[in-house]
Amino acid sequence: MVSQQGERFSDRAEAGRQLAARLAAMNIKQPVVYALPRGGVPVALEVARALGAPLDLIFVRKIGAPGAPEVALGAVVDGASPQTVINEEVRRHSRASNDYLERARAHELQEIERRRARYLGDRPQVDPKGRTVIIVDDGLATGATMKAALIAMKRQGASRICVAVPVAPAEVLAEMKALADDVICLNPVRVFYGVGAFYDDFHQLTDEETVGLLRQIWSATGGPAPDTAILRRAIAVPPLGLPGELAVPQAARGLVLFAHGSGSSRLSPRNRMVADQLNANGFATLLFDLLTANEAADRRNVFDIPLLAERIVEGVVYASGEPDIADLPLGLFGASTGGGAALVAAAELGSRVGAVVSRGGRPDLAGARLAKVKAATLLIVGGDDTHVIELNRQAVAHLRGDKLLRIVPDAGHLFEEPGKLEAVAQLACAWFEHYLPAPRELKPAQAVPVPDKAETLVQALRRLAQPLP
C-alpha cells in the first residue's frame, strides 16, 4: 500500500533490520549484498548480517551535463570492467561531445578509484556473474544512481537482481520494476520531500564510520580477519605503581590509553567492552587506575582534572618505555570526567597524541586547554543526555583541529540501553582507524664509511647518527 506521508525510522540500522526481515521471507539462495556508499552501508550491513551473505560495495558516479553538472548526463559504475551508462536524451539536448564524455568519465573513474582504495584497500570485490544480487541503499529520490547500478550489474552477468530500499517515491519504484527482477521497499510514498525526512537520525556518514561498519561484517562473513592472538599482562604505572592491564594484539596498529572518570577504575565494564572491540580491530589498549585507593576515597579527586591529566601523562610515559608499544601511534579514550582529563593531557602531549574519543564526557572541564588540542577529537554523547549534549556542543566550538560531535539516539549517559554501547565502540574504532597512522618502519641500516683521518671520532658519530622514532 502506498502511504501519503510514510513510516519513519529511528536510523539506518533500524531500517536495515526491517528490510532484512522482508528479504529473509523471500528465501533467496546464496545472495550477495551490494551497498551504495556511504548511506547504504549501515542498511546493507543489517541485511547481509541477517541473510549470512557477503557484503560488497558498488561505486557509482554521476556524469554531469556540460554547463549543468547537476543534470545527470550519465553515470559510470566501477567493476572488473567499468560500465558507462548514458542518458541519450540529455546528451542530445546538452550536445555533449565524445571528448567531453571521455574526460568526464576519466575524472569520475579516478574519484571511484580513490574511494575504493579508501573503503576496500586491497580487498578483492565480489564478481556478480551468475549470482543473485541485492542492491541496497538508504532510500531513492530520483533513482538515477540505482538505475546505473542495475544496468551495470546486468552487463556484468548477475543472474537475478533485487533492489532493496527503506523508502522511495512510488513513481520511481515503478521505473525500478522495469529494470530489476524484484523491488522491495518498506515505505513507498506519494508525498516525498527527500530521503532524510523519513529518518530521525540521517547524519552524513563519515569515511571513518563507513570503514568501521565494513570491517564488522567482513570479519563476520569471511572477510580478512585480524590476528586474534592478544597478549595481556598486568602492569604498574610509576611513580605510584597504579595498577592496570595492557593488551597487545599481534602486529598492533596503535595504542589506545583509557581515562576513566566519576569514580570508575580499570575494571569499568563499559570501558572494557570498548577495549575488547579495539583489540579485535588490532589496537593495543592500556587501562589503569588514575587514582590510588586513598585518593579515590575522596570524591573531590574525581573532578580534579589537572590531577587526572597528570596521571594520563604518566601512563603515556610508561608506555613509551615498553618495547612492544613504544613506537605505536597513540590515542586516548576518555569517559565522563576522564574525557576532560584526556583532552588536557592531549593538549600537554601535543603531536604525541593522534586522536581522542570521549564517551559521555565532560570536555568542558578542559577549559582553555581545548584550544591547544592538536589531536583529532570525537565527542560521543547519548541522545537522552541533554545537559551533557549542550556542554559538548559548547566545547566542540573551542577545539581547533579535526573534530566531530556524534549523538547516539535514545541513549542515556551510561549507554546502558541495548546496542548503544556497541554503537560507541564502532564509532571509536572507526575514528582511531582513520586518525592513527600505521606505525613507522625503521630505515635499513646504512653502511658506515671509514672516517677521514682529519675527522675525529666524535665528529664522525655526530655526522652519522640518526634520530630514533
Side-chain angles (χ1 to χ4, degrees):
M1 181 179 69
V2 179
S3 64
Q4 290 295 323
Q5 294 182 339
E7 175 189 359
R8 290 181 65 83
F9 307 100
S10 63
D11 56 18
R12 293 179 178 92
E14 183 202 351
R17 289 189 288 271
Q18 293 187 30
L19 204 56
R22 286 279 296 276
L23 289 163
M26 296 172 61
N27 197 27
I28 302 173
K29 303 296 184 183
Q30 297 183 327
V32 178
V33 178
Y34 285 86
L36 287 166
R38 291 180 257 183
V41 171
V43 184
L45 182 145
E46 299 297 336
V47 172
R49 180 180 286 155
L51 300 181
L55 173 64
D56 206 344
L57 301 180
I58 180 167
F59 295 94
V60 182
R61 293 288 296 174
K62 181 180 73 174
I63 297 176
E70 72 283 357
V71 178
L73 168 62
V76 59
V77 187
D78 190 29
S81 177
Q83 304 290 322
T84 305
V85 180
I86 301 298
N87 186 321
E88 294 297 341
E89 183 177 355
V90 174
R91 182 177 184 179
R92 284 194 302 271
H93 283 88
S94 65
R95 299 181 180 179
S97 66
N98 289 334
D99 287 343
Y100 173 83
L101 281 173
E102 282 303 314
R103 288 196 305 272
R105 180 179 185 274
H107 178 269
E108 298 306 336
L109 280 174
Q110 185 177 12
E111 176 60 18
I112 283 175
E113 184 60 29
R114 185 194 70 80
R115 294 191 178 199
R116 189 165 66 86
R118 175 70 186 92
Y119 296 148
L120 304 180
D122 296 328
R123 187 179 190 276
Q125 293 190 262
V126 180
D127 186 354
K129 187 174 182 180
R131 308 288 295 269
T132 297
V133 167
I134 302 174
I135 306 178
V136 179
D137 204 354
D138 55 7
L140 301 180
T142 65
T145 54
M146 182 62 78
K147 289 177 189 176
L150 284 168
I151 294 171
M153 281 295 175
K154 284 188 176 181
R155 291 180 180 176
Q156 293 178 35
S159 62
R160 180 183 177 187
I161 302 176
C162 175
V163 172
V165 292
V167 61
E171 62 272 18
V172 172
L173 291 173
E175 297 176 17
M176 294 297 119
K177 290 176 181 176
L179 297 171
D181 298 291
D182 301 283
V183 177
I184 305 299
C185 179
L186 298 174
N187 208 2
V189 292
R190 288 195 181 98
V191 180
F192 186 81
Y193 299 107
V195 175
F198 296 88
Y199 289 88
D200 294 332
D201 177 10
F202 193 69
H203 70 277
Q204 179 70 30
L205 266 75
T206 64
D207 284 346
E208 301 79 48
E209 289 177 273
T210 304
V211 172
L213 291 170
L214 291 171
R215 284 181 178 273
Q216 287 182 47
I217 191 64
W218 287 338
S219 63
T221 58
D227 195 327
T228 55
I230 299 173
L231 301 177
R232 301 181 185 274
R233 62 181 184 266
I235 56 101
V237 175
L240 299 177
L242 297 169
E245 180 183 272
L246 179 65
V248 185
Q250 292 188 10
R253 58 189 299 170
L255 169 66
V256 178
L257 187 149
F258 280 70
H260 318 289
S262 298
S264 294
S265 70
R266 70 189 188 283
L267 304 178
S268 164
R270 288 176 290 277
N271 280 348
R272 294 183 76 88
M273 181 271 170
V274 175
D276 288 343
Q277 188 62 48
L278 286 167
N279 295 153
N281 281 267
F283 289 96
T285 55
L286 175 57
L287 293 88
F288 71 103
D289 293 348
L290 300 183
L291 300 172
T292 66
N294 289 335
E295 289 171 337
D298 186 345
R299 182 70 179 171
R300 291 173 297 180
N301 288 325
V302 173
F303 296 93
D304 190 339
I305 301 302
L307 174 62
L308 298 178
E310 179 183 345
R311 300 295 165 77
I312 294 169
V313 173
E314 290 172 358
V316 172
V317 172
Y318 165 81
S320 299
E322 295 294 295
D324 53 347
I325 58 173
D327 297 330
L328 294 178
L330 175 67
L332 303 179
F333 183 98
S336 190
T337 54
L343 287 165
V344 171
E348 182 173 340
L349 292 165
S351 58
R352 175 70 179 93
V353 179
V356 177
V357 174
S358 168
R359 170 183 64 81
R362 292 289 308 278
D364 56 297
L365 297 177
R369 305 304 297 275
L370 286 170
K372 298 183 179 181
V373 175
K374 297 180 179 180
T377 303
L378 172 64
L379 306 178
I380 307 173
V381 189
D384 295 338
D385 198 4
T386 53
H387 177 61
V388 175
I389 288 176
E390 183 56 33
L391 294 174
N392 276 255
R393 282 178 174 154
Q394 294 171 11
V396 78
H398 295 284
L399 291 166
R400 296 289 178 262
D402 287 0
K403 56 188 177 181
L404 182 64
L405 171 61
R406 285 300 314 276
I407 298 174
V408 179
D410 303 318
H413 182 64
L414 298 179
F415 298 88
E416 295 176 306
E417 300 79 7
K420 301 307 179 182
L421 193 58
E422 288 80 358
V424 171
Q426 293 166 14
L427 292 171
C429 286
W431 192 260
F432 288 128
E433 283 168 356
H434 182 68
Y435 283 103
L436 296 187
R440 291 189 300 170
E441 294 184 2
L442 291 176
K443 296 180 180 179
Q446 302 292 323
V448 180
V450 177
D452 185 81
K453 289 183 179 180
E455 185 177 33
T456 68
L457 180 59
V458 172
Q459 290 172 330
L461 288 173
R462 285 175 176 164
R463 177 173 56 83
L464 296 171
Q466 295 186 26
L468 293 173

